[in-house]
Amino acid sequence: MARNKIIVLKNGMDVFGNKIEILINGEIIEKVSENIDESRFENNENARIVDIEGKLVMPGVIDVHTHMREPGITYKEDFATGSRACAKAGVTTFYDMPNTIPATTTLENLLEKKKLAREKSIVNFGFHFGGSKNDNVEEIERVLTSGESNTVKIFMNVTTGEMLIEDDEILKNVFENAKLVLVHAEHEMIDKAIELNKNYGKGLYVCHIPSADELKKVINAKKNNKLNTKEHPVYAEVTPHHLFLNTEIRESTERNRMLLRMKPELREKSDNEFLWEAINRGEIDTIGTDHAPHLISEKLEKITFGMPGVETSLALMINAFNEGKISLEMIQKLMCENPAKIMKIEKRGKIQEGYFADIIAIDTQKEWIVGIDDTIESKCGWTPYENWKLRGKNAMTIVNGEIVYENGKINENVKSGKEVEFCD
Ligand code: DOR
Ligand code: ZN
Ligand code: ZN
């Protein structure tokens, strides 16, 4: 039997500023301590000692909100290109949304999609099942009992795709039959989702909250011990674009007026500020990118909702840390720990003995220009942050104990991504 590969990460620093060293045995973190004696591996040809020279070590980012476009819309993105974008940027797990063609609203379609991801993805993946306007609660039940997914995404406002549910009876059925329900809900649809969760649900995750007004609704619900309970908790997600972009930036050039369009739309600078304050008050649970790639030609031709995001999310947040806007500890919570907890992902999201070795090393001081000093791996070929000067960049990505990205390059020889498993 082949011996496990060993990696010893030397001289890392954790988010608290403490020295950290990690022994990886196969796909699992075997030991985490201040100092790991690498001498016993000196003659082991399966072992690699990696000195990461003081870089920041974090669990790989878990982005639970992406649209990887496969199957059916793969001219925009697919599991290979989308997962490469993830690997480069430090995202070791993504969750894909159901608004593909066909939509992920039957067990059969979900299994078909999984097959494609298994063949192509170089990072870990999970799937949100889709609630259908044609009432698919029977499929929801099948998916949840089979354990093929444990989350359902529904669209309560118009956006890209054909998945809007307007029928109150169907909405009620979804909440009654699902476990955690993720919603695309804007304005008063947020109130409705909170109410449905309270009356029928087992958990509500409000995606991409864009504004102070909408966030206040969710924060109030989170603080209300009837609306937010252990039986039906409420979670809040914000995207990088609603933190870093606003209408002022969008309206500044003709091009931005077309490119910076998505649902929910960008809001005012004051909304950016409110979102940051809420983050630092601990009122936000996760950062999800809503990675929604479209070709630039499509974006410039007519208003098309969605922008790529996985490739820049972590770097933008590390840059925000360098600007004093957020702590590293909070970044780790929002981007790694909480997503794993909320989605009940087994043994990921933390650097802990016995967990899968999904680990990233970040050069927090590296200065670089987005789209100039780096590749764009997403098939859409563009980023809304082009020419932004950032400080902080992912330098190494380990997925299930395999180094998939280092020295500015994706390792073309490994494909270690796996499907997530659930711990309940
Ligand atoms: O802007 C958006 N684009 N918002 C969504 O909710 C969907 C997404 C997409 O799939 O393009
Ligand atoms: Zn959405
Ligand atoms: Zn989305």
Side-chain angles (χ1 to χ4, degrees):
M1 207 176 81
R3 269 202 292 175
N4 272 347
K5 218 185 248 182
I6 301 283
I7 297 176
V8 184
L9 289 182
K10 296 286 295 175
N11 300 312
M13 178 109 90
D14 70 13
V15 292
F16 304 103
N18 299 322
K19 184 161 172 263
I20 180 172
E21 300 198 340
I22 303 168
L23 168 59
I24 301 168
N25 184 344
E27 59 182 18
I28 300 295
I29 297 171
E30 183 168 304
K31 195 165 170 52
V32 183
S33 83
E34 221 174 277
N35 181 42
I36 287 179
D37 177 14
E38 72 273 29
S39 62
R40 72 176 163 118
F41 301 110
E42 259 157 24
N43 299 317
N44 182 342
E45 59 202 33
N46 284 319
R48 202 179 138 190
I49 317 297
V50 186
D51 184 351
I52 52 174
E53 299 169 332
K55 289 191 185 66
L56 172 66
V57 173
M58 277 189 8
V61 169
I62 300 177
D63 187 344
V64 299
H65 192 156
T66 77
H67 300 261
M68 293 301 186
R69 306 304 194 201
E70 184 156 7
I73 330 172
T74 51
Y75 70 94
K76 297 176 199 271
E77 191 79 287
D78 62 45
F79 288 127
T81 55
S83 68
R84 289 174 70 90
C86 288
K88 189 198 81 180
V91 177
T92 54
T93 302
F94 67 83
Y95 262 70
D96 180 60
M97 286 296 178
N99 59 336
T100 43
I101 304 173
T104 318
T105 49
T106 66
L107 176 58
E108 196 189 345
N109 288 352
L110 174 62
L111 296 177
E112 190 53 40
K113 187 182 255 194
K114 285 189 178 192
K115 206 169 133 234
L116 296 165
R118 248 180 249 132
E119 282 162 15
K120 294 178 161 182
S121 182
I122 66 166
V123 301
N124 306 312
F125 46 88
F127 300 93
H128 301 300
F129 192 61
S132 160
K133 59 183 167 198
N134 302 319
D135 194 344
N136 64 338
V137 285
E138 279 178 21
E139 291 295 308
I140 292 178
E141 276 176 11
R142 286 176 74 198
V143 165
L144 294 177
T145 33
S146 64
E148 295 290 348
S149 170
N150 68 351
T151 44
V152 174
K153 167 76 182 289
I154 58 170
F155 293 84
M156 296 174 71
N157 298 89
V158 175
T159 179
T160 309
E162 307 277 317
M163 295 189 66
L164 175 67
I165 306 181
E166 289 177 292
D167 185 320
D168 284 346
E169 199 54 32
I170 295 179
L171 288 173
K172 172 177 172 251
N173 285 345
V174 170
F175 275 87
E176 261 176 355
N177 288 283
K179 296 194 242 177
L180 184 66
V181 178
L182 290 81
V183 295
H184 179 124
E186 304 183 32
H187 303 295
E188 58 283 0
M189 287 301 146
I190 294 181
D191 304 305
K192 192 167 182 170
I194 290 167
E195 197 60 22
L196 283 162
N197 181 50
K198 171 182 154 242
N199 292 334
Y200 312 107
K202 294 174 208 71
L204 172 70
Y205 178 98
V206 185
C207 295
H208 48 42
I209 305 165
S211 67
D213 277 356
E214 284 153 300
L215 183 49
K216 279 176 194 163
K217 292 173 189 284
V218 181
I219 293 171
N220 286 339
K222 282 171 78 69
K223 287 183 179 160
N224 180 318
N225 61 13
K226 294 210 169 57
L227 300 178
N228 179 22
T229 70
K230 225 176 148 203
E231 286 69 41
H232 47 79
V234 176
Y235 302 109
E237 174 196 83
V238 298
T239 69
H241 52 264
H242 293 119
L243 288 168
F244 294 99
L245 302 173
N246 50 51
T247 52
E248 200 179 299
I249 299 175
R250 184 184 72 203
E251 297 304 316
S252 66
T253 67
E254 203 58 53
R255 195 176 154 84
N256 275 355
R257 236 172 267 168
M258 297 304 284
L259 294 185
L260 305 191
R261 300 302 293 269
M262 76 294 299
K263 290 286 185 182
E265 296 275 19
L266 296 175
R267 304 298 167 81
E268 309 304 310
K269 216 172 175 173
S270 57
D271 292 294
N272 298 149
E273 279 155 18
F274 187 88
L275 264 52
W276 279 113
E277 286 159 16
I279 280 182
N280 287 311
R281 285 194 299 263
E283 292 166 344
I284 305 295
D285 296 288
T286 63
I287 303 279
T289 61
D290 200 5
H291 177 76
H294 299 281
L295 300 188
I296 207 150
S297 53
E298 297 174 296
K299 296 280 296 181
L300 293 174
E301 203 172 277
K302 71 176 194 3
I303 304 284
T304 304
F305 299 120
M307 306 192 306
V310 292
E311 237 157 320
T312 42
S313 56
L314 178 67
L316 285 167
M317 295 304 287
I318 299 292
N319 187 68
F321 157 74
N322 280 318
E323 289 177 345
K325 284 179 132 142
I326 186 171
S327 68
L328 293 174
E329 187 187 355
M330 185 60 87
I331 293 175
Q332 180 166 287
K333 267 203 186 115
L334 296 169
M335 302 185 85
C336 316
E337 289 169 12
N338 289 350
K341 255 191 232 161
I342 293 168
M343 301 303 156
K344 302 193 157 67
I345 301 171
E346 174 101 322
K347 293 187 178 146
R348 303 191 190 276
K350 274 192 208 174
I351 296 181
Q352 190 169 303
E353 290 167 15
Y355 270 47
F356 289 103
D358 294 343
I359 298 167
I360 55 178
I362 301 159
D363 183 344
T364 60
Q365 296 310 311
K366 169 103 175 164
E367 293 194 20
W368 63 294
I369 301 175
V370 179
I372 307 289
D373 297 333
D374 202 14
T375 57
I376 293 179
E377 298 292 335
S378 170
K379 205 186 269 187
C380 74
W382 68 284
T383 158
Y385 308 98
E386 187 177 300
N387 287 322
W388 282 38
K389 217 177 148 195
L390 300 181
R391 188 143 60 95
K393 193 171 187 301
N394 179 50
M396 177 182 276
T397 307
I398 300 175
V399 176
N400 298 312
E402 296 275 1
I403 300 176
V404 299
Y405 174 82
E406 76 180 308
N407 303 324
K409 284 198 188 69
I410 290 171
N411 184 346
E412 304 292 342
N413 304 316
V414 298
K415 206 172 109 309
S416 55
K418 297 199 340 182
E419 192 185 334
V420 298
E421 290 178 35
F422 309 119
C423 43
D424 91 327

